[in-house]
Amino acid sequence: MLIVMEQKATSEQIAGVVAAIENRGYKARPIPGGERTAIGVLHNEGAVDASFFSGLSGVKEVIPVTRPYKQVSREFKPENTLIRIHDVTIGQGNLTMIAGPCAIESEDQAMTIAKHVKRAGAHIFRGGAYKPRTSPYSFQGLGIEGLKILSRVRESTGMPVVTEAMDEESFNHVEEYADLVQIGTRNMQNFSLLRRAGKSKRPILLKRGMAATIEEWLMAAEYILEGGNSQIILCERGVRTFVHHSRNTLDLSSVPFVQNESHLPIIVDPSHATGRRDQVIPLSRAAAAVGAHGLMIEVHHEPDKALSDGAQSLYPEQYEALCLQVQSIRDTFQNESRDVQKS
Ligand code: PEP
Ligand code: MN
């Protein structure tokens, strides 16, 4: 339930409502807005007595929140959440481009790719230091050395960096070095990791589980919000289906659905969704057209020598051409949606 305060409500009236919520054994989560404050009522198991709260001083209205994901829902917070990472803002009408190799393999490799993608127009650099690999015999990432390389990439290019934390221990290291902490598909329902992310001061990039419904995904985000961290970017990366022509099936319908249901930004990763560079290019264009807030794409200057995911990594020239295409799709889309809204 959401209690919306009068525009002129005093801080005493707000405190009074918070106390009334807590006296009933619930948790109060004030959400200051541009116009007025709203207070979320959390931790209620059954229905909350709305008439009691609507009679309190300073209360304008009481709105039931019908979704199981409360703090994630638009009912709870109607305006878009914007994530600011240095001078990059995610969640506006723009298309934020995240690019880099699957894994950080060496300083030379990371710097070379970073320079290419920056020149092409990338805003944020990606690269795994801790790699969740299907086989224990595959390259597992450089760990802390990889994180140090990432921070040198940031220093030298000015791009913020994102990398994955696989467990609570690696989370502590990733949080120290990276600007944005990724939780990967295999960990979307690792609830202790989600709770750890909830305590972090860093924004979190939460990928959709490969077998997760949208409700399960949004509930995973709810864990992070519930822990106190409201800086979350969702990332659609495809789900496992019965097809063989593609590594996963990119569910682009999740983008408008999530944007309707939630105030959190949502980006698309066509690389892990498809596993093949010839599919990454057209599906990136589709993701830009469907209104995603950003694209995360794997790029490698020598994909044939890549230690992981070479087949889905774009050549730098392909990425450069793609950046121009997706930005122009986004510009057209923005102009047209303005026209649609007008009519
Ligand atoms: C990644 O982005 O490096 C990754 C492993 O992706 P996913 O968790 O979506 O498989
Ligand atoms: Mn990869």
Side-chain angles (χ1 to χ4, degrees):
M1 200 173 75
L2 194 64
I3 300 176
V4 181
M5 301 299 292
E6 300 277 5
Q7 212 168 342
K8 290 197 222 96
T10 62
S11 47
E12 287 76 35
Q13 286 173 320
I14 295 171
V17 173
V18 168
I21 295 168
E22 288 177 351
N23 285 341
R24 298 209 147 199
Y26 310 137
K27 195 166 168 200
R29 174 68 50 91
I31 314 160
E35 300 260 295
R36 50 170 64 92
T37 294
I39 306 168
V41 181
L42 303 169
H43 291 200
N44 55 301
E45 270 169 18
V48 177
D49 178 8
S51 60
F52 168 75
F53 290 105
S54 53
L56 295 177
S57 158
V59 171
K60 180 168 190 289
E61 62 179 322
V62 174
I63 303 171
V65 177
T66 53
R67 305 294 197 269
Y69 33 86
K70 308 261 174 238
Q71 301 184 66
V72 163
S73 74
R74 265 207 199 274
E75 287 178 334
F76 211 87
K77 179 172 180 275
E79 67 278 6
N80 285 352
T81 288
L82 303 182
I83 310 289
R84 295 197 173 85
I85 306 171
H86 305 297
D87 55 357
V88 181
T89 302
I90 303 151
Q92 285 173 317
N94 56 323
L95 192 61
T96 301
M97 299 298 284
I98 305 177
C102 178
I104 301 298
E105 300 167 3
S106 69
E107 180 144 358
D108 256 12
Q109 173 250 19
M111 287 290 180
T112 305
I113 300 170
K115 283 180 192 140
H116 280 300
V117 298
K118 177 162 182 171
R119 197 172 328 119
H123 306 102
I124 298 178
F125 185 69
R126 66 147 285 146
Y130 298 92
K131 294 303 303 173
R133 304 304 301 280
T134 302
S135 164
Y137 309 116
S138 303
F139 175 58
Q140 305 284 307
L142 298 180
I144 293 191
E145 185 46 35
L147 296 177
K148 291 185 178 158
I149 293 173
L150 278 167
S151 58
R152 291 198 285 274
V153 166
R154 175 184 41 229
E155 233 168 77
S156 121
T157 64
M159 279 187 289
V161 297
V162 56
T163 193
E164 178 168 351
M166 291 213 306
D167 45 37
E168 289 170 82
E169 192 192 334
S170 56
F171 197 105
N172 295 335
H173 301 308
V174 168
E175 181 180 57
E176 194 184 326
Y177 288 93
D179 304 284
L180 173 61
V181 183
Q182 179 170 324
I183 294 188
T185 197
R186 295 158 188 81
N187 270 315
M188 190 208 82
Q189 281 191 320
N190 179 338
F191 297 112
S192 43
L193 192 58
L194 295 174
R195 288 206 185 280
R196 174 65 186 83
K199 290 201 213 110
S200 180
K201 298 270 177 292
R202 296 275 183 220
I204 308 295
L205 181 65
L206 179 64
K207 294 190 122 187
R208 180 177 180 180
M210 63 180 84
T213 63
I214 295 184
E215 183 170 316
E216 287 164 339
W217 186 19
L218 295 179
M219 290 305 279
E222 186 82 11
Y223 265 85
I224 302 173
L225 264 157
E226 170 54 12
N229 187 353
S230 56
Q231 301 283 287
I232 304 166
I233 303 163
L234 299 164
C235 178
E236 168 62 57
R237 48 80 69 208
V239 287
R240 182 69 68 84
T241 65
F242 48 82
V243 305
H244 296 295
H245 65 274
S246 181
R247 182 170 173 180
N248 290 287
T249 297
L250 180 56
D251 177 12
L252 280 181
S253 68
S254 72
V255 174
F257 184 81
V258 164
Q259 288 175 338
N260 209 32
E261 284 294 298
S262 175
H263 50 85
L264 296 175
I266 174 168
I267 68 164
V268 171
D269 170 354
S271 305
H272 292 92
T274 63
R276 297 173 44 162
R277 79 174 68 86
D278 63 341
Q279 293 179 1
V280 170
I281 296 173
L283 286 171
S284 299
R285 295 194 288 247
V290 89
H293 294 114
L295 284 170
M296 179 152 91
I297 296 173
E298 288 185 344
V299 178
H300 202 292
H301 64 306
E302 291 175 324
D304 294 346
K305 296 192 187 145
L307 297 182
S308 57
D309 286 350
Q312 69 196 32
S313 300
L314 297 190
Y315 288 93
E317 314 77 68
Q318 290 180 308
Y319 182 68
E320 198 175 331
L322 184 61
C323 280
L324 293 172
Q325 292 177 3
V326 292
Q327 292 297 356
S328 103
I329 290 169
R330 175 47 57 94
D331 291 346
T332 316
F333 160 84
Q334 269 184 314
N335 295 338
E336 292 194 351
S337 42
R338 264 193 292 275
D339 292 344
V340 171
Q341 272 160 17
K342 268 190 251 154
S343 56

